[in-house]
Amino acid sequence: MYGNGDLFMKKKPVNRRKQNGLPLLFSILFVFCIFGAIVFSISREISKKMSEAAIQNVSESLDLLQCTIEAILRSEAEFQTLIAQEIARMQDPEAYILAYKRNNTMAKLSFIRAGETEGVSSTGEAFTGEDLDFSAGSKVEGLPVSKSYVNYMGTWSYTIKCPVVQDKQEIGTLYAEYVYDAIDKSLPSEFYNKQASLYIMDAQSQRFVLKPRGMGQRDAGHLNLDDFYRANNIKDAEIKSEVAECLENGRNVLFYHDIREVKALNYMWSVNDGMIFLVGYVPVEAIQKEGQIVNQNILIVIVSMLSAFFLCILLYYLNWRQQDKVRKEREVERKIHNKQLAEALQAAQIASESKTTFLSNMSHDIRTPMNAVLGFATLLSVDAENPAKVREYTKKIMASGQHLLSLINDILDVSKIESGKVVLNYEKFTLNDVISSVETIIQPMAKAKGQEFYLEVTGIQHEYLMGDETRINQILINLLSNAVKYTPERGNIWFRVIGLKQRSSQYEHIRIEVEDDGYGMTPEYLETIFDAFTRAENSTTNKVQGTGLGMAITKSIVELMGGSIEVFSEVDKGSLFRIDLELRILEEQANKAFWEERGIVRILIVCKDTELCNHIKMLMGNTNVQIDVAMNAVEAITQVKSGIGYQVVLLDWDVHSAQAAEALRAVLLDVVPILLLAEFDAQGIGDALQISGTGVIAKPFFVSAFQNKIAEIWAKPSNFPSEVGNSLKGLHFLAAEDNEINAEILTELLEIEGADCEIVENGRLAVERFQQAPKGTFDAVLMDVQMPVMNGHDAARAIRALPRDDAKHIPIIAMTANAFVEDEKAALDAGMDVHVSKPLDMEMLKKAIRQCAKKEGLS
């Protein structure tokens, strides 16, 4: 019983508060209703008074316009009277009329002598006045005014005639033609803030003769009163009757009518006793604008008072609900906090899983080649006396080491990309260099697996471009090496470079496609192919080594260049990767001086492929070199024998090209080279190269490759052989290397290649040794970057600054473990020629030396 009574006592106050609250609410609403009714009646009364005042303002405005126009008419009549008096004093009025020049008021002045029917006009034409209609009886200052008409200039006009009196005798009549446009210039610039409409109508013809500029809206472009009725849907017979009476009696009329669904006050306002009328309308909204402003101000005051009143009630209500609100806010905060904790836990779990996945992948991928290195090193110590096994173990250790190095490079690349530290090195390059370097790497890989590698270049209009050549090479090698890896033996790989329609004249729009008919990928894997550490999982592809980072790096670099990458694949049918890039075009595409310096003005192309011929002509279009085409060797020999002087012959390679080259050599001068345009590793090409003065250019054709081959033929001898090939024999190097082990390895590797080097411990010693050595002592400088006393960059700059000729040209090759693009750029900026990353690869070193030799030969 005690418990029930206590419960009753708790509920009772709540019910009382609810019962007390309702009367208070009704009382407030009742006060608001009374207050609103008072405000509404006051506002309505104010609006009524303001509307009446506004209509009065409209009438006053129209009266002002009426007075303005009538003043213009009177001034015209008075001026014409003065001219008539002046003419009366002249002996030859016609001469005066003919000499009169048109002004802004009178368009034409005419005179007819008394008793005659024809006179003269200021326009030089005969004037009769028969076409003028003065029957309406309109007058200005006692002078008759004609009905409005369109004059010879296509402008609405009216004419006032004035008698010419001489010695109290009328000797003739002066006619002055006035244009309504002159009235327009004297009217105010606005009429109700350009919201109103205003026309001037001729009373007799009911035609609209003037649409004043700047006075208001005339969207309909009315021509007459009936047109005005029709356009504005005025069909009320009573209104039309009232308007007709207004026209007949020359009085004013105002009436309300909706114009284009907008309530408006329409007017017909008489000017000069009904000679013309002002016709138009003013939107009621424009008339009542001032009243609306007053009402708005009143409403603002009322709203402010109500807001203050409501604020007091709200403060009371908020005070009553304060505890409940605080409780709810704490509940919401607790839920948000719990949600944040759950999200943080989930993020931590995902991060932990990612870390675990990363460590698992790296543990497996790094341990595999490391296990091979350690295992074969152990076997090497056991079988050290067996040369065959030593060579085999060494080869496998090198392969595993290279694979381990590629893993490390991929991890560093991903780290750089994710941290936003990757910097693109934009420099000029040619598509030929990119395609040739990639083909040189991929062709042997494909050939080793018995695969067919097809290279196609179509639609490219510019081969000299700006971009990061190293990163583009990295993209292509990633895609093509994957195609080789994931395509079975005797499969096919297609590498296409396609020129698309340019979006801008400053950029070459290029599409790169890498296609294969290999294993393909599942739809599930395609969704994650560009994620880091993802690899297709199946019994075939699991045998292929890799980090799963290559495609993630490729996509990131493509997007960093502003391009896009897509992939299409089907299991057991192959894959297609498609990249779209836009690369800036260099302004100087063709080096015209190159051809002029060598006296090359005409070239003969021997080719059956019309499309290839047209492509070569297009690329050579800006060189000022004449291109002739022969479809076969017989036709080519005929053209040569005809006496046309060719400086170069370009022969497209086929099975009969060796015979064709031999036949052409027989009729050409010995100094005219025959260049063979051939596929990579074309059969029989070696025999053709035995013919004197022949060379080979790899397909596809590029002007830069063409120039390089010609320059190679004319190149001057240099310290390096023109083709170093695979030998460094006889070369002497200066090497700056502070690490003793690295220095020992470098010395041994160079000795194996038949070269030798002199090692110094830092950059300063390298500068001093080079400065002390006689010219020609060293063929190149191998420069480490991170060294004590003086680093490699400062040492390279110091050597280049030495006051001796060979300091400017001696090749300086950077050897450093810093292998990123920005490191390479820093080395080149310091004056070095080539960048070779550690661990030292002799093939890369040979390639760098060949590159230096090529530069020196062309200099």
Side-chain angles (χ1 to χ4, degrees), residues 711-749:
E712 179 184 317
I713 294 173
W714 269 287
K716 297 178 181 179
S718 64
N719 292 339
F720 287 110
S722 60
E723 289 290 343
V724 176
N726 290 322
S727 176
L728 302 180
K729 187 175 181 179
L731 298 182
H732 184 54
F733 296 94
L734 172 63
E737 175 59 72
D738 63 318
N739 186 287
E740 292 182 4
I741 295 177
N742 289 343
E744 183 179 352
I745 292 172
L746 176 63
T747 302
E748 294 294 334
L749 290 175

Side-chain angles (χ1 to χ4, degrees), residues 11-223:
K11 290 181 179 179
K12 194 171 182 179
V14 176
N15 292 334
R16 185 181 298 116
R17 281 198 297 270
K18 289 182 180 179
Q19 292 173 358
N20 292 338
L22 288 175
L24 177 62
L25 178 61
F26 286 129
S27 299
I28 293 172
L29 290 176
F30 180 71
V31 171
F32 283 164
C33 290
I34 295 175
F35 188 70
I38 295 172
V39 170
F40 178 77
S41 61
I42 294 174
S43 175
R44 188 179 180 85
E45 184 65 23
I46 291 174
S47 296
K48 182 179 178 182
K49 295 293 185 183
M50 293 298 294
S51 296
E52 292 175 356
I55 293 173
Q56 182 63 32
N57 287 338
V58 172
S59 300
E60 292 175 357
S61 298
L62 292 172
D63 285 340
L64 178 61
L65 293 174
Q66 172 194 349
C67 293
T68 300
I69 295 173
E70 289 177 348
I72 293 171
L73 294 173
R74 285 195 298 272
S75 66
E76 290 174 348
E78 291 170 357
F79 184 65
Q80 185 172 347
T81 301
L82 291 175
I83 292 177
Q85 293 174 359
E86 185 176 353
I87 289 174
R89 292 191 295 270
M90 293 184 177
Q91 295 181 356
D92 189 359
E94 285 81 358
Y96 177 85
I97 296 297
L98 291 172
Y100 176 79
K101 294 184 179 179
R102 180 178 179 272
N103 58 30
N104 294 331
T105 304
M106 288 186 289
K108 184 171 69 174
L109 201 63
S110 304
F111 176 73
I112 299 177
R113 288 185 177 274
E116 296 182 6
T117 60
E118 184 176 302
V120 295
S121 175
S122 60
T123 61
E125 301 173 350
F127 177 77
T128 61
E130 295 177 354
D131 296 333
L132 301 176
D133 185 359
F134 293 92
S135 61
S138 301
K139 292 187 178 182
V140 177
E141 293 293 304
L143 300 180
V145 182
S146 73
K147 176 183 174 181
S148 301
Y149 58 92
V150 178
N151 67 5
Y152 69 97
M153 295 184 295
T155 303
W156 279 101
S157 310
Y158 58 92
T159 296
I160 299 176
K161 65 179 180 178
C162 174
V164 179
V165 179
Q166 187 181 59
D167 297 331
K168 298 182 180 181
Q169 182 179 359
E170 184 175 337
I171 65 171
T173 305
L174 177 65
Y175 295 83
E177 181 181 279
Y178 302 90
V179 294
Y180 281 99
D181 288 344
I183 296 176
D184 185 19
K185 297 177 182 178
S186 301
L187 296 179
S189 60
E190 291 187 2
F191 191 37
Y192 275 90
N193 198 26
K194 297 186 179 180
Q195 296 184 50
S197 170
L198 175 64
Y199 295 89
I200 295 179
M201 183 185 74
D202 180 66
Q204 187 174 357
S205 64
Q206 298 184 5
R207 296 278 295 187
F208 289 176
V209 296
L210 181 63
K211 303 173 184 178
R213 292 181 292 274
M215 293 292 290
Q217 303 175 359
R218 296 176 305 283
D219 296 337
H222 309 303
L223 300 176

Side-chain angles (χ1 to χ4, degrees), residues 719 731-735 756-758 766 769-781 804 806 810-811:
N719 292 339
L731 298 182
H732 184 54
F733 296 94
L734 172 63
D756 60 69
C757 69
E758 184 175 334
R769 180 66 186 94
F770 180 81
Q771 189 174 14
Q772 295 167 2
K775 182 178 180 181
T777 302
F778 301 109
D779 295 302
V781 179
R804 47 190 286 180
D806 58 339
I810 187 168

Side-chain angles (χ1 to χ4, degrees), residues 282-296:
V282 183
V284 173
E285 180 181 1
I287 299 174
Q288 297 178 346
K289 186 173 182 180
E290 294 180 359
Q292 290 174 352
I293 293 173
V294 173
N295 287 336
Q296 288 173 1

Side-chain angles (χ1 to χ4, degrees), residues 303-352:
V303 169
S304 299
M305 294 174 62
L306 291 176
S307 298
F309 183 66
F310 271 117
L311 182 61
C312 294
I313 297 174
L314 181 62
L315 291 175
Y316 174 78
Y317 175 76
L318 291 177
N319 183 61
W320 180 69
R321 295 292 302 271
Q322 183 176 8
Q323 296 300 323
D324 185 57
K325 181 180 179 181
V326 170
R327 180 186 61 79
K328 289 182 178 180
E329 287 178 352
R330 288 177 179 175
E331 183 68 23
V332 170
E333 289 178 0
R334 185 164 58 253
K335 289 180 179 179
I336 293 173
H337 184 63
N338 291 338
K339 183 179 179 182
Q340 291 174 342
L341 289 176
E343 291 175 350
L345 177 61
Q346 184 180 6
Q349 290 173 343
I350 292 173
S352 178

Side-chain angles (χ1 to χ4, degrees), residues 461-478:
Q461 299 184 32
H462 306 88
E463 58 174 293
Y464 295 85
L465 304 169
M466 287 289 293
D468 192 328
E469 182 179 1
T470 302
R471 288 299 186 182
I472 294 174
N473 274 331
Q474 184 179 2
I475 292 169
L476 297 179
I477 292 172
N478 270 347

